[in-house]
Amino acid sequence: MNTAFEKQDRTGPVLFRTYEKGSGLKKALSMERNDILDELRESKLKGRGGAGFPTSTKWMIVAAASDSKKYVICNADEGEPGTFKDRVLLTEYPELVFEGMVIAGYTIGADEGIVYLRGEYFYMLSFLEKFLEDMRSNGLLGKNILGKDGFNFDISIRLGSGAYVCGEETALIESLEGYRGEPRNRPPFPVNTGFMGHPTIVNNVETLASVPHLIMNGGAWFCEMGTDKSTGSKLFSVSGDCDSPGVYELPWGTTIKELLKIVGAENAKAVQVGGASGICFGKKDFSRSLAYEDAATGGSIMIFNESRNMLHVLKSFMEFFVEESCGQCTPCRIGNVKLLEGVEMIERGEFTFEYIEKLKDLGRTMQVASKCGLGQTSPNPFISILENFKDEIFNPREVNEAV
Ligand SMILES: Cc1cc2nc3c(=O)[nH]c(=O)nc-3n(C[C@H](O)[C@H](O)[C@H](O)COP(=O)(O)O)c2cc1C
Ligand code: SF4
């Protein structure tokens, strides 16, 4: 824990700012549930876990459900390569995450919250359990929270076991129910049929942590930051070839170039935005904005300088997907193996451009035919790295010899 990441100064417009413990929750409990939903809707907060689904819509559906049992699940699986922002929130700002969950419970009418914690974060379990215990002692969890008659809510923490796909919300729910962590068919969505068959909201750590500040300051305040379609700020986990790796809170709409300047990486050759399943941008695209409507990301930013071999980078991403595919559906189970084989063929110089184009088509088919987000996004690095770094990867002299 005592790394350069943890020593970094933390300042930011929404999350990395001063917060008085309990204040957001106290204010939320003084509000009508519909007024909380209105603030959320006005804020245009979208899920920070990657998919960018409007948070207010999710909460409204579950709030309107007639089931007497509902759940709030905090997705703390954080398995996307290059992402470590949720770890920072949980260790440095747990009050925001847990209060966000309690506010969610109050708003939708749930009395139970579960944190699905990445297995590798086992080391923080006792710290988080102690924090929850303190919240109970201070009346922020348990029965009649902060004196609000009849509002009961408690949180438990369950550990994942290291499968990347268990971050996908339906696989996560399967795993929580004690089954093998494999994505379900959707619909039905968790908001209708979630944990143990009950309406459930699954939200990312960062989404939930934004809620107490949003309640304190209002939806309109949140919209003052970012862009029209991507409001507020975003935590970026920055790693790779830069002077100052770490977690940065910046407004949505920041360009890749601006971010590279902030982290000391102006000599970057490539930036992988959105983790292994994201898009790899070259210099010509560094003016693109980090936003849902442009270069979208759940927060992972991996930087590569001139010394990096982009084919090796691509190979390690594809090896990851072959390893992590749950194998349920053919496009992903077979497709990722074929894409990896293609990378290995390029490596050996035994390929034709026609076959590589066929593999890109296969990738596009996987994007539409795979059952869950893993297979729908795993071709992204294959397509973007081969297109944006073709001069480096397909050295014309060697290719002539190879074909
Ligand atoms: C393979 C895969 C892995 C995922 N991993 C995570 C994760 O670690 N954390 C997360 O919040 N969302 C993850 N998601 C997205 C979740 O399915 C879901 O969209 C998210 O938890 C919803 O929360 P949000 O609306 O607050 O973003 C993953 C999706 C896929 C397809
Ligand atoms: S896309 Fe991949 S991870 Fe998702 S269900 Fe299909 S095989 Fe499993």
Side-chain angles (χ1 to χ4, degrees):
M1 289 292 295
N2 192 18
T3 68
F5 294 144
E6 268 64 41
K7 283 181 197 146
Q8 188 187 311
D9 279 345
R10 302 222 186 276
T11 50
V14 177
L15 294 158
F16 292 168
R17 73 206 303 262
T18 318
Y19 177 73
E20 190 192 330
K21 279 183 197 165
S23 55
L25 177 56
K26 192 170 171 194
K27 179 155 182 214
L29 295 186
S30 72
M31 293 165 70
E32 295 296 326
R33 293 175 163 90
N34 279 340
D35 293 338
I36 297 176
L37 290 173
D38 284 345
E39 288 297 343
L40 266 189
R41 193 173 36 227
E42 191 181 353
S43 75
K44 301 194 226 166
L45 174 66
K46 290 181 181 167
R48 299 324 198 204
F53 191 80
T55 307
S56 64
T57 308
K58 208 179 262 189
W59 289 28
M60 268 160 35
I61 295 170
V62 182
S66 54
D67 201 320
S68 60
K69 188 72 187 170
K70 302 173 184 178
Y71 290 95
V72 176
I73 293 179
C74 171
N75 189 343
D77 198 48
E78 191 154 62
E80 186 66 50
T83 311
F84 39 91
K85 62 174 182 83
D86 294 343
R87 184 192 71 177
V88 166
L89 282 174
L90 285 163
T91 45
E92 298 183 26
Y93 303 87
E95 62 275 19
L96 292 179
V97 183
F98 293 144
E99 284 184 41
M101 291 179 75
V102 184
I103 294 170
Y106 172 68
T107 310
I108 65 165
D111 63 0
E112 210 176 323
I114 304 169
V115 177
Y116 188 87
L117 185 66
R118 180 188 168 127
E120 290 86 341
Y121 292 169
F122 173 71
Y123 69 90
M124 63 170 90
L125 186 61
S126 55
F127 161 75
L128 293 175
E129 298 279 17
K130 167 84 177 56
F131 199 93
L132 289 174
E133 206 41 60
D134 289 347
M135 282 180 74
R136 285 182 199 106
S137 309
N138 293 323
L140 298 164
L141 271 184
K143 292 207 182 321
N144 303 319
I145 292 178
L146 290 178
K148 184 87 182 172
D149 233 13
F151 174 52
N152 310 326
F153 190 86
D154 213 329
I155 297 175
S156 60
I157 303 176
R158 314 267 186 97
L159 279 172
S161 301
Y164 169 61
V165 76
C166 284
E168 194 280 337
E169 56 185 8
T170 61
L172 183 156
I173 290 171
E174 286 282 298
S175 163
L176 275 181
E177 290 181 359
Y179 300 110
R180 190 184 155 102
E182 288 182 344
R184 293 176 176 171
N185 284 324
R186 299 188 309 169
F189 293 95
V191 286
N192 304 119
T193 307
F195 182 57
M196 305 306 281
H198 297 288
T200 302
I201 55 171
V202 181
N203 273 132
N204 173 253
V205 170
E206 184 183 348
T207 313
L208 290 162
S210 305
V211 170
H213 282 298
L214 201 155
I215 293 298
M216 286 304 285
N217 300 289
W221 162 81
F222 200 74
C223 291
E224 286 167 13
M225 292 161 276
T227 71
D228 188 39
K229 291 190 174 131
S230 309
T231 53
S233 67
K234 181 77 191 88
L235 295 189
F236 296 103
S237 314
V238 182
S239 62
D241 298 315
C242 61
D243 295 338
S244 309
V247 177
Y248 292 80
E249 184 183 5
L250 299 169
W252 279 117
T254 301
T255 64
I256 297 174
K257 196 174 174 182
E258 286 165 342
L259 183 137
L260 291 175
K261 189 163 185 215
I262 292 168
V263 305
E266 283 160 288
N267 61 350
K269 163 173 83 172
V271 180
Q272 178 79 14
V273 175
S277 62
I279 306 277
C280 196
F281 294 100
K283 282 182 181 156
K284 72 175 170 42
D285 288 318
F286 285 178
S287 55
R288 300 274 298 267
S289 302
L290 298 162
Y292 293 108
E293 65 274 24
D294 194 354
T297 173
S300 167
I301 304 282
M302 289 184 242
I303 302 171
F304 303 99
N305 68 19
E306 289 294 341
S307 72
R308 307 294 168 181
N309 177 327
M310 295 312 290
L311 195 62
H312 291 171
V313 171
L314 174 57
K315 188 177 176 188
S316 69
F317 289 157
M318 295 323 299
E319 284 171 340
F320 172 76
F321 291 123
V322 168
E323 177 77 22
E324 295 295 337
S325 166
C326 83
Q328 256 194 102
C329 69
T330 313
C332 172
R333 184 182 64 245
I334 307 290
N336 282 310
V337 172
K338 288 287 160 202
L339 298 188
L340 175 59
E341 282 173 5
V343 174
E344 289 166 345
M345 287 162 86
I346 299 172
E347 212 174 31
R348 292 195 304 272
E350 295 168 4
F351 68 95
T352 61
F353 283 113
E354 198 188 350
Y355 187 63
I356 298 303
E357 286 309 311
K358 283 207 170 111
L359 287 179
K360 285 192 205 158
D361 280 346
L362 170 67
R364 289 182 199 105
T365 305
M366 291 165 65
Q367 287 171 334
V368 290
S370 295
K371 180 171 168 177
C372 86
L374 192 153
Q376 289 159 6
T377 57
S378 61
N380 288 343
F382 185 88
I383 295 170
S384 61
I385 291 182
L386 291 188
E387 284 182 355
N388 292 336
F389 299 92
K390 54 178 175 282
D391 291 346
E392 168 187 326
I393 291 171
F394 302 112
N395 178 315
R397 191 179 54 80
E398 287 179 11
V399 168
N400 286 338
E401 286 164 4
V403 174

